Amino acid sequence: MTPRFDGRNGRWVGASVPRREDPRLLTGRGRFVDDIQLPGMLHAAFVRSTVAHGTITGIDLSATLAVDGVVAAYTASDLDLGDIVALLDRPPEEFSPTAMPILAREKVRFTGEPVALVVARDPYSAEDGVEAAVVDYEPLRAIVSEESAFAEDAPVVHDEAPGNVLVDVSMFDTPGVDAAFEAARAGGGRVVEVVTKSGRQNALPLETRGVVASWDDRDDQLLVQMCTQVPHQVRTAMARSLRVPERTVRVTVPDMGGGFGQKCVVGREEIAVAAAVRRLNRPVKWIEDRREALTAGFLAREQRYRTLAAFDEDGRITALDVDVVCDMGAYSCYPFTAGIEPLMASAEMPSVYQVPEYRVRARAIASNKAPTAPYRGVSRPQYVMAIERVMERAARELGLDPVEIRRRNVITQFPYTGVNAITYDPGTYRESLELAEAAIRDEGWYEIRDRAAADGRHIGIGYCCFSERTGYGSGAFAKRKMAVVPGFDISEIRMDTTGSVVVTSGTMNHGQSHETTLAQIVADRLGLHLDQVKLRQGDTERIAYGWGTFASRSVTIGGSAVSLAAGKLGELLCRIAAHLLETSPDNVRLDGDGGVVQIDDPERRASFEEIADVAYLRSHLLPKDVEPTLTATASFDVPGDGTFSNATHAVVVEADPGTGQIRILRYACVEDCGVVIHPQVVDGQCRGGIAQGIAGALFEEITYAGNGEPSAASFIDYLVPTATEIPDITVTHLETPCSLTENGAKGAGEGGTIGAPAAVLNAINDALRRTGVELDTTPVHPQTVLAALDAEIHQEVSVPS
């Protein structure tokens, strides 16, 4: 028998075992979408709009069809596909449903929108065909900002959305908001107002989107191999658009090089390719190039918060009044809708603080920009930055230390039900703050900062406290009133005659190490070696149903489902073993080493192989009420409001007043994601997320010209930080086991991204405190710093964004 691993306390969970994925990926044996080659395969490319907003007056594909190698070319009328429509169950004054056509019909709504599909024998001919296409437009005025969207004479992006408002919700308005502000103004407290803005970003997975679709005549089925975080939702949307039964569409996912939320919505290009396959009866591949990814892929993050907060004289917050505007681009994404960002912000804006009174209005607006998807963190980097800037401003005006004001307001008693009607399960909000401050203070950074100031240098220290609701269950999603309500996960586990198991999960790995972490959970639950557990994901034929991977749900929900399925299989194994050992089921247990042992006589034991031999090959020996095969299925859904991970980030930066450059000198993260399944994997999640957060704070941004032309079509213009710009990051783990999940884990996928922008921005403002400059907009480019310093010198009031 393979020796049992003796990791942390004899368990796989909690041990940084070698990743199961690594041998395959590090030796070039991984298989990604672009690695797939099929006999007779054709290649697709898209004719894309060259104007941001306009009416299509003509499409001529005759020259395209004459290009050598081009096999076919289609417009929207040729394919005649159903639109993608994402819905909220909200009244018309709160939500305006809009449709996203697979190919633009009468109107285009952003530069890069697909207008026609070209299919050719090779990718180069397909691109030549795209170049030969002639599309005529009648340009319309483009909506490229909040101001232009709300202007009285603004054109509408969608006729169905008057005023360019897709979502307008006021979810909370407690009775004491106005009185709290009056009390703060009348007494010794303070009322502070902060307007924060964040730039538009691209999630930027290493692997761009792509698909290889083919028709299987034997199975009468469309096989769609693509990189998506939500294969079952793609199948549903694709079948509806193609107007075929879901059984005729099979979606599978090979190895995937990242997604970060960009791939957890349904794209239109993949459906267009599938439609071409049905017409041509030949396999077709489409791989998104980087220009398409930057200009026409799903973007994120462009939001504005106007936050008014009241504090009493002791620095305790008494009320929040917030106005949120999220620029969602041209279309509402499926299945989450344009409500995903404003609804997230509205529900969770109070963050880790005890806020007695709360009012919020949040709007999603349509603009002539590429549509958005729920990029890692989904509004939390933005609302956390808003509330953390409020804390810093209030501390300054009240003469308090920035850490002390957080200490006075952070939630310390659990479970805590907030003014937002959300109940927070136990966490380490204050403990993480204390540890993060201690890390910076013990290393002498406060003294270094003060000495540097005396030398004319600008070093600053910034903090950010936050929580992350992870593993949203169906109950939490239902509160958003989505027509499609994600939540549960299903797992099936099957043991073969050798005692090894294959376990399925509806989650979808795209770099999170699921093959390792979910196997660790199963191995511990059954007492197997890790090598005896094989995970299957990403196949709508093999997985009953799944909601994929997003919102840090994989270990909390998917991990709980595989744990429950393994537990059920363990019960079945014990029942058969008791029969074979001629004892009662109450007198046996799993022995943690690949077998079942008799409790009152430990010398008597049945190995899993022996039990499986009976279950499959000598079923006449089974108990009469036990069916052959060793299979179990379980589902899991997080109850109530879900669970909350938490963390504090502490950052030290130096600002160069000569160049405007910001250099990060120190970055510390103290996080609590519950039981840590694999410490190195969690470290990687934290560091990767923080790197993306730093990118949003200092580097990455897509802006648009007045005519809707995007500024960044390559990495020359879209500035991505490299390892040179990302500092060493220390990660300290606290573990508050979650009582709501089967494994005690809370999820760790998005946290790093959430805290970094606020922590970096606070550190920059601390560094610049002697100059009078205070910035509330990200990214902070060098020219932003220089312009702000120049404005301050010239006594200008406004600070450029």
Side-chain angles (χ1 to χ4, degrees):
M1 179 182 297
T2 306
R4 180 80 170 84
F5 176 75
D6 188 17
R8 189 173 73 166
N9 300 319
R11 293 168 52 83
W12 294 100
V13 169
S16 293
V17 298
R19 293 202 324 155
R20 306 281 305 279
E21 301 88 336
D22 285 343
R24 180 179 78 252
L25 297 175
L26 296 177
T27 57
R29 292 183 287 116
R31 187 178 65 167
F32 298 83
V33 171
D34 201 22
D35 295 324
I36 298 171
Q37 302 293 332
L38 298 178
M41 188 169 71
L42 302 172
H43 297 265
F46 287 89
V47 179
R48 296 184 180 277
S49 173
T50 56
V51 303
H53 196 194
T55 303
I56 300 173
T57 57
I59 303 177
D60 184 356
L61 299 179
S62 57
T64 295
L65 292 168
V67 170
D68 186 32
V70 169
V71 174
Y74 304 104
T75 64
S77 60
D78 296 328
L79 295 181
D80 189 28
L81 296 169
D83 296 342
I84 300 174
V85 182
L87 296 174
L88 290 175
D89 187 17
R90 289 184 176 273
E93 62 271 22
E94 292 188 349
F95 174 65
S96 299
T98 54
M100 181 165 69
I102 304 305
L103 296 174
R105 289 192 291 269
E106 295 83 6
K107 188 176 183 182
V108 291
R109 295 181 173 86
F110 68 94
T111 301
E113 179 164 12
V115 174
L117 170 65
V118 178
V119 183
R121 287 195 292 270
D122 59 77
Y124 311 102
S125 298
E127 292 293 343
D128 290 343
V130 167
E131 290 293 322
V134 177
V135 183
D136 295 318
Y137 304 95
E138 181 67 36
L140 301 170
R141 184 150 54 94
I143 302 298
V144 294
S145 66
E146 175 187 340
E147 292 74 20
S148 61
F150 290 151
E152 286 188 4
D153 63 342
V156 290
V157 179
H158 294 272
D159 293 339
E160 303 88 341
N164 293 309
V165 177
L166 298 171
V167 175
D168 188 346
V169 291
S170 298
M171 293 175 63
F172 300 97
D173 188 2
T174 57
V177 172
D178 292 329
F181 279 101
E182 291 172 9
R185 291 189 180 98
R190 287 287 190 282
V191 173
V192 299
E193 181 178 9
V194 177
V195 179
T196 52
K197 297 179 181 178
S198 55
R200 204 171 190 84
Q201 275 186 270
N202 189 304
L204 217 65
L206 187 63
E207 181 194 25
T208 59
R209 293 184 298 147
V211 61
V212 174
S214 57
W215 180 256
D216 188 327
D217 272 333
R218 183 178 181 277
D219 285 342
D220 191 27
Q221 191 176 54
L222 185 69
L223 174 61
V224 182
Q225 302 178 78
M226 60 180 288
C227 45
T228 174
Q229 297 169 232
V230 288
H232 284 86
Q233 285 67 60
V234 169
R235 182 185 65 175
T236 297
M238 185 173 288
R240 290 176 180 176
S241 181
L242 296 173
R243 301 185 180 92
V244 299
E246 278 201 34
R247 65 167 179 77
T248 63
V249 179
R250 178 183 184 183
V251 178
T252 67
V253 184
D255 287 315
M256 187 163 30
F260 309 118
Q262 190 189 68
K263 298 174 184 172
C264 79
V265 296
V266 177
R268 55 214 300 198
E269 288 89 347
E270 295 90 340
I271 295 176
V273 168
V277 168
R278 284 174 55 82
R279 281 160 176 75
L280 298 168
N281 199 23
R282 289 180 65 178
V284 178
K285 174 190 281 190
W286 170 69
I287 300 297
E288 182 185 57
D289 64 29
R290 192 58 71 180
R291 179 186 176 88
E292 290 177 303
L294 286 169
T295 59
F298 292 100
L299 304 177
R301 296 285 198 247
E302 189 173 2
Q303 299 181 15
R304 186 272 294 159
Y305 290 68
R306 183 179 303 278
T307 308
L308 205 63
F311 288 80
D312 65 19
E313 63 273 20
D314 294 324
R316 289 185 172 80
I317 192 167
T318 56
L320 270 182
D321 190 351
V322 189
D323 182 76
V324 184
V325 173
C326 306
D327 186 339
M328 305 303 290
Y331 292 104
S332 194
C333 64
Y334 182 90
F336 300 101
T337 78
I340 185 167
E341 304 278 359
L343 293 172
M344 169 76 83
S346 297
E348 304 190 13
M349 179 79 192
S351 190
V352 295
Y353 300 112
Q354 303 175 65
V355 177
E357 305 290 347
Y358 178 42
R359 175 189 294 148
V360 62
R361 180 187 186 188
R363 286 168 285 180
I365 62 171
S367 66
N368 295 116
K369 304 174 185 176
T372 58
Y375 178 24
R376 199 175 190 176
V378 187
S379 276
R380 285 170 288 202
Q382 287 72 47
Y383 77 67
V384 166
M385 189 168 83
I387 192 75
E388 291 297 295
R389 289 297 305 136
V390 163
M391 286 293 164
E392 294 278 327
R393 184 75 57 81
R396 189 186 65 188
E397 295 193 12
L398 289 163
L400 291 172
D401 179 85
V403 173
E404 178 58 28
I405 197 169
R406 290 177 170 83
R407 194 178 284 124
R408 294 182 185 185
N409 286 284
V410 79
I411 299 167
T412 55
Q413 299 294 320
F414 299 96
Y416 174 85
T417 299
V419 68
N420 51 357
I422 293 173
T423 298
Y424 297 77
D425 62 332
T428 50
Y429 297 2
R430 180 158 177 169
E431 293 86 342
S432 66
L433 174 64
E434 304 286 8
L435 284 173
E437 185 199 28
I440 299 301
R441 193 171 294 283
D442 293 347
E443 293 171 9
W445 283 105
Y446 283 92
E447 291 78 7
I448 294 170
R449 179 190 66 176
D450 295 340
R451 287 199 302 272
D455 295 337
R457 295 168 60 195
H458 299 270
I459 289 179
I461 297 169
Y463 293 91
C464 175
C465 294
F466 64 95
S467 63
E468 175 200 3
R469 179 151 48 159
T470 62
Y472 278 77
S474 57
F477 271 119
K479 290 182 179 179
R480 295 185 180 180
K481 301 182 180 179
M482 294 170 60
V484 176
V485 183
F488 65 86
D489 197 60
I490 300 173
S491 175
E492 180 189 71
I493 189 167
R494 183 174 63 253
M495 179 172 280
D496 63 24
T497 58
T498 68
S500 297
V501 297
V502 175
V503 59
T504 69
S505 173
T507 61
M508 190 61 249
N509 178 62
H510 47 285
Q512 297 93 339
S513 312
H514 289 180
E515 290 179 51
T516 304
T517 54
L518 297 187
Q520 286 177 276
I521 293 170
V522 172
D524 267 350
R525 192 70 189 258
L526 285 174
L528 287 171
H529 191 277
L530 202 63
D531 291 344
Q532 293 176 282
V533 183
K534 178 67 177 178
L535 177 69
R536 295 290 186 192
Q537 295 176 300
D539 187 339
T540 56
E541 288 285 278
R542 300 187 64 169
I543 318 298
Y545 203 82
W547 289 100
T549 287
F550 53 86
S552 302
R553 68 187 303 274
S554 294
V555 162
T556 52
I557 298 179
S560 292
V562 301
S563 180
L564 285 172
K568 283 187 175 181
L569 179 60
E571 292 172 3
L572 180 58
L573 290 164
C574 285
R575 193 172 174 191
I576 298 172
H579 180 73
L580 299 177
L581 295 171
E582 298 180 332
T583 187
S584 73
D586 295 337
N587 195 33
V588 297
R589 62 172 174 79
L590 298 177
D591 67 0
D593 199 17
V596 178
V597 66
Q598 186 168 315
I599 294 173
D600 63 359
D601 186 0
E603 295 298 318
R604 304 195 71 214
R605 176 181 186 276
S607 69
F608 290 164
E609 294 94 324
E610 292 168 336
I611 298 170
D613 182 78
V614 169
Y616 290 104
L617 306 180
R618 296 185 292 157
S619 59
H620 63 287
L621 298 178
L622 286 169
K624 292 189 181 301
D625 56 348
V626 172
E627 296 179 350
T629 76
L630 295 174
T631 303
T633 302
S635 66
F636 182 81
D637 194 354
V638 174
D641 292 326
T643 181
F644 287 79
S645 300
N646 69 273
T648 297
H649 290 188
V651 183
V652 183
V653 306
E654 179 165 13
D656 186 329
T659 65
Q661 293 282 348
I662 303 296
R663 187 163 65 100
I664 299 178
L665 307 177
R666 177 77 171 95
Y667 204 114
C669 166
V670 181
E671 69 83 33
D672 186 345
C673 64
V675 170
V676 178
I677 307 297
H678 191 298
Q680 283 187 346
V681 167
V682 175
D683 286 352
Q685 289 276 21
C686 290
R687 293 191 174 105
I690 288 168
Q692 287 185 307
I694 291 172
L698 297 176
F699 299 96
E700 297 177 5
E701 185 177 26
I702 293 178
T703 58
Y704 287 79
N707 64 355
E709 186 71 17
S711 63
S714 74
F715 288 150
I716 294 175
D717 300 309
Y718 192 75
L719 192 58
V720 181
T722 68
T724 303
E725 287 81 33
I726 302 301
D728 289 337
I729 299 166
T730 60
V731 180
T732 301
H733 301 292
L734 299 173
E735 288 191 74
T736 304
C738 177
S739 62
L740 304 175
T741 61
E742 287 294 309
N743 46 52
K746 294 181 171 184
E750 299 182 308
T753 318
I754 295 169
V760 170
L761 185 59
N762 285 338
I764 292 170
N765 283 322
D766 187 47
L768 298 174
R769 66 192 183 284
R770 289 178 290 111
T771 68
V773 166
E774 193 166 1
L775 303 172
D776 292 313
T777 297
T778 56
V780 179
H781 297 301
Q783 59 269 30
T784 310
V785 176
L786 294 177
L789 290 171
D790 185 63
E792 188 64 25
I793 290 171
H794 291 86
Q795 300 295 307
E796 294 183 16
V797 176
S798 62
V799 174
S801 59

